[in-house]
Amino acid sequence: MLQYNLKSVRAYLLKEEFQAFRDYISPHWAGKYLDRWCTRVMRSKIEPMKKVAKTVRRHRPLILNWFRAKKAFSSGIVEGLNTKIKLTTRKPYGFRTYKCAEIALYHALGKLPEPEVTHRFY
């Protein structure tokens, strides 16, 4: 497959090359690698890959923050929490007051302290 200069093969190779980006420790060198990779992608004339490279360039400072934090934090936890909060607040029951919305969030997110004013069912 490598002997053919197909766009799909080149796109696959560029994708695989990007995997080395995660191995960097220094934000400086990771940024240099990212810039070189984006330049190669932009010269590849593969439109979907160029779209990815433009997105990566636009979010470059945020991506490099992961290296500055020494890869200790993942935004996956925060994104999951935000999704759960949005789903809870979109439920069709409607919350008339902020306090009711707060109580619903306590119930949905679990393992959080419940306020004293919740209903008691006997």
Side-chain angles (χ1 to χ4, degrees):
M1 287 299 288
L2 293 176
Q3 68 188 4
Y4 302 110
N5 195 16
L6 298 174
K7 285 185 179 183
S8 58
V9 173
R10 287 186 294 148
Y12 176 77
L13 292 174
L14 286 169
K15 179 196 77 85
E16 287 300 312
E17 183 183 321
F18 187 73
Q19 298 301 320
F21 174 69
R22 295 184 300 175
D23 297 334
Y24 282 88
I25 297 170
S26 165
H28 173 75
W29 292 110
K32 285 192 173 291
Y33 182 84
L34 196 61
D35 293 340
R36 280 194 315 268
W37 184 84
C38 286
T39 301
R40 287 194 64 207
V41 169
M42 294 304 280
R43 290 180 180 166
S44 72
K45 298 180 182 175
I46 303 171
E47 288 305 318
M49 292 295 289
K50 287 170 77 173
K51 186 177 176 183
V52 170
K54 288 176 187 175
T55 302
V56 167
R57 281 182 173 169
R58 219 175 26 250
H59 293 95
R60 183 183 188 276
L62 296 173
I63 293 170
L64 293 179
N65 277 344
W66 186 60
F67 291 95
R68 288 186 193 95
K70 308 234 187 289
K71 303 178 185 180
F73 302 104
S74 171
S75 63
I77 296 168
V78 175
E79 293 298 327
L81 183 65
N82 284 341
T83 302
K84 201 158 193 171
I85 289 171
K86 285 180 186 177
L87 287 174
T88 301
T89 55
R90 286 185 188 166
K91 286 183 181 175
Y93 306 115
F95 305 115
R96 296 173 194 248
T97 64
Y98 174 77
K99 194 70 173 168
C100 290
E102 183 181 15
I103 292 169
L105 287 173
Y106 280 134
H107 283 285
L109 298 176
K111 295 187 181 177
L112 296 174
E114 292 184 12
E116 297 281 331
V117 295
T118 58
H119 291 38
R120 303 250 184 251
F121 298 100
Y122 296 102

